[in-house]
Amino acid sequence: MSYDVIVLGAGAAGLLCAATAGQGGRRVLLLDHAPEPGRKIVISGGGRCNFTNLHTAPDRYLSGNPHFAKSALSRYTAADFLALVESYGIAWHEKTLGQLFCDGSAKQIVAMLLEECAKGDVTLRCGQAVGSVEHADGLYRVAFGDTVETAPVLVIATGGPSIPKMGATGFAYDLARKFGLKVVQPRPALVPLTLPGDEALFRELSGVSTEVVMRCGKASFREAALFTHRGLSGPAILQISSYWKRGDTVTAQFLPDRPDGWLRALKRERPRLSFRKALGDGLPERLAEALCGRLGLEGELGALTDKALGAAEARLMRWPFVPDGSEGFAKAEVTAGGIDTAELSSKTMEAKRVPGLYAIGEAVDVTGWLGGYNFQWAWASARAAGLAI
């Protein structure tokens, strides 16, 4: 059978792109080396799939070109995908910060996308390796298992190397380079950060969590941070990790609701209160104890100078950590970097210099914040390409 389009990768972006092109009258072949489609969708959001975010906006994405995502995101919005979800009767809820989850199972999203593919008569084949990919005489030739399939259009939707235990690889980048496209150095994003040996005190707090404002450069996020046996995790850390580069300092603002001068004011109101108790009123006990030890302040507030309390406030406002690395692609929720957006049309996702070659989703150098933003980029870029094909 001959096809109009071959889509490589049956994840979020690949499934919706194939469905869109198929429903537009194209004969679509969707290929994936995994035994079944949508494997990352199934494990996402703790098995409930954080499928979009109501606050999606281009400034919540990292890219070498911060304007690139605007076109696709404006033409297929969170409301558009939510309408599709609701048309299938899938119950959902907003958790926090605009994050939408299935009430039931992430498998409902996969089933919905497969039904959309079926409506477009998409041919889906899984469970075999993609071999050589060649382009000649206006056709792409893709070796899959023991067959070679051809089509004038090829879509790269194979994602990035994050979560390799799910079968994720850097195949998209190898393919892009083969066709002469530049690739922005991929790196783990939305990933726990590790701390060096001299921060062992904080590793002893493994399991302790508290709300903080994490900062790195101009980026800041207010969410929970979690201390682990290897370093730092939790939503605030995952968010800031996308902005962190080796050698950078990240800072934590503990007790973010306390006003300037709060310790000195408390000293005047309750001079007999111990410094440790003052911190413990807003922090987990083990963390308050560790911070007191690091600050080197003991005893009642009334016995401490305003200068010492002011210095403690300043430190608690911007407590520095210099991570020595991250937990890598194995623990990264997504990959930052990828196929250079300068190579692609922001309207269609087609390669400017290679006719018929498209790249969508995580394979492209567009990385969203934690909380459904990366799914929305997958849907929006997939829709843009699917309509253009």
Side-chain angles (χ1 to χ4, degrees), residues 284-306:
E285 187 177 340
R286 285 167 60 200
L287 176 58
E289 201 168 305
L291 294 177
C292 283
R294 281 293 178 99
L295 291 166
L297 295 181
E298 291 287 343
E300 297 177 352
L301 293 177
L304 299 171
T305 67
D306 279 4

Side-chain angles (χ1 to χ4, degrees), residues 211-247:
E211 187 168 344
V212 298
V213 176
M214 290 301 304
R215 296 183 175 89
C216 184
K218 294 179 180 178
S220 68
F221 295 92
R222 178 171 175 160
E223 289 193 65
L226 171 70
F227 293 92
T228 73
H229 68 286
R230 296 192 65 187
L232 299 165
S233 189
I237 303 301
L238 299 186
Q239 294 280 38
I240 213 69
S241 73
S242 296
Y243 294 83
W244 176 83
K245 292 184 174 60
R246 191 171 292 277

Side-chain angles (χ1 to χ4, degrees), residues 97-334:
L97 304 171
Q99 302 171 28
L100 303 191
F101 289 77
C102 298
D103 285 358
S105 166
K107 291 178 181 177
Q108 294 173 284
I109 299 294
V110 177
M112 175 190 79
L113 293 167
L114 288 173
E115 179 59 28
E116 286 293 296
C117 284
K119 287 178 182 178
D121 293 322
V122 173
T123 301
L124 171 64
R125 291 168 58 193
C126 292
Q128 292 180 291
V130 174
S132 64
V133 179
E134 305 296 337
H135 183 228
D137 305 321
L139 288 176
Y140 291 90
R141 291 172 175 80
V142 179
F144 187 73
D146 55 4
T147 67
V148 175
E149 305 292 352
T150 63
V153 172
L154 181 69
V155 181
I156 303 172
T158 54
S162 57
I163 321 182
K165 70 180 181 183
M166 300 299 294
T169 70
F171 179 80
Y173 314 137
D174 297 337
L175 199 52
R177 291 187 185 103
K178 175 185 175 71
F179 290 112
L181 306 187
K182 293 175 186 166
V183 174
V184 176
Q185 182 62 41
R187 57 188 177 85
L190 302 182
V191 64
L193 298 174
T194 58
L195 294 174
D198 57 359
E199 296 286 10
L201 171 69
F202 289 100
R203 288 210 295 274
E204 289 167 11
L205 296 173
S206 182
V208 173
S209 176
T210 189
E211 187 168 344
V212 298
V213 176
M214 290 301 304
R215 296 183 175 89
C216 184
K218 294 179 180 178
S220 68
F221 295 92
R222 178 171 175 160
E223 289 193 65
L226 171 70
F227 293 92
T228 73
H229 68 286
R230 296 192 65 187
L232 299 165
S233 189
I237 303 301
L238 299 186
Q239 294 280 38
I240 213 69
S241 73
S242 296
Y243 294 83
W244 176 83
K245 292 184 174 60
R246 191 171 292 277
D248 286 350
T249 298
V250 299
T251 62
Q253 180 181 350
F254 294 110
L255 300 164
D257 288 322
R258 300 293 163 90
D260 285 346
W262 70 275
L263 273 174
R264 286 161 285 184
L266 197 57
K267 169 185 170 178
R268 282 175 259 293
E269 291 167 23
R270 302 172 65 190
R272 303 295 301 274
L273 185 70
S274 73
F275 181 72
R276 184 169 299 191
K277 188 74 172 69
L279 294 194
D281 282 348
L283 293 170
E285 187 177 340
R286 285 167 60 200
L287 176 58
E289 201 168 305
L291 294 177
C292 283
R294 281 293 178 99
L295 291 166
L297 295 181
E298 291 287 343
E300 297 177 352
L301 293 177
L304 299 171
T305 67
D306 279 4
K307 183 178 179 181
L309 292 175
E313 279 183 24
R315 187 87 188 276
L316 291 167
M317 279 275 291
R318 286 188 176 270
W319 195 286
F321 296 96
V322 184
D324 60 358
S326 76
E327 294 197 24
F329 286 116
K331 295 292 179 68
E333 296 203 9
V334 294

Side-chain angles (χ1 to χ4, degrees), residues 13-57:
L15 283 163
L16 188 60
C17 180
T20 301
Q23 290 179 32
R26 303 292 180 266
R27 290 164 300 176
V28 182
L29 174 62
L30 177 58
L31 303 176
D32 200 300
H33 67 207
E36 66 279 320
R39 296 186 87 191
K40 278 192 181 179
I41 298 174
V42 171
I43 66 163
S44 66
R48 291 194 169 180
C49 188
N50 180 192
F51 56 81
T52 193
N53 194 296
L54 295 175
H55 305 314
T56 298

